[in-house]
Amino acid sequence: MSDAPADAVVRVLSEVLGEPPEVFDGPSRLGVHAGWDSMGMLRVVTMLESDLGIRLDLRRVHDARTVHDLVGLVEGSQAPG
């Protein structure tokens, strides 16, 4: 990965949800952001998978409540194989 997982997640969330990166600190709740709906979540997942060469479990991403949760999923993900 070119970025640390946390940096990649914050960058993608900021781009997809249209908010400044500083609002996405670790304990920030994903559900409070207007764009964090099913389509926004899919865009985030698609970008993270493409940018980082990983595969994320959509059920686990759906269950993620905070930015920290999402970072943990990215850190624990594996490249498709």
Side-chain angles (χ1 to χ4, degrees):
M1 285 188 250
S2 60
D3 295 330
D7 293 339
V9 168
V10 167
R11 177 179 45 77
V12 168
L13 286 170
S14 177
E15 185 174 332
V16 170
L17 302 180
E19 296 188 42
E22 53 273 6
V23 304
F24 299 106
D25 62 1
S28 175
R29 300 203 51 86
L30 294 167
V32 302
H33 302 283
W36 188 254
D37 54 16
S38 58
M39 290 304 294
M41 182 188 76
L42 286 174
R43 288 183 61 212
V44 167
V45 167
T46 300
M47 286 182 70
L48 287 170
E49 288 181 341
S50 176
D51 291 355
L52 302 176
I54 59 173
R55 180 77 63 193
L56 294 168
D57 182 330
L58 287 178
R59 291 170 296 202
R60 294 184 70 198
V61 174
H62 182 267
D63 291 340
R65 299 292 175 237
T66 66
V67 173
H68 186 265
D69 294 342
L70 187 55
V71 170
L73 293 175
V74 168
E75 289 175 336
S77 66
Q78 296 185 4

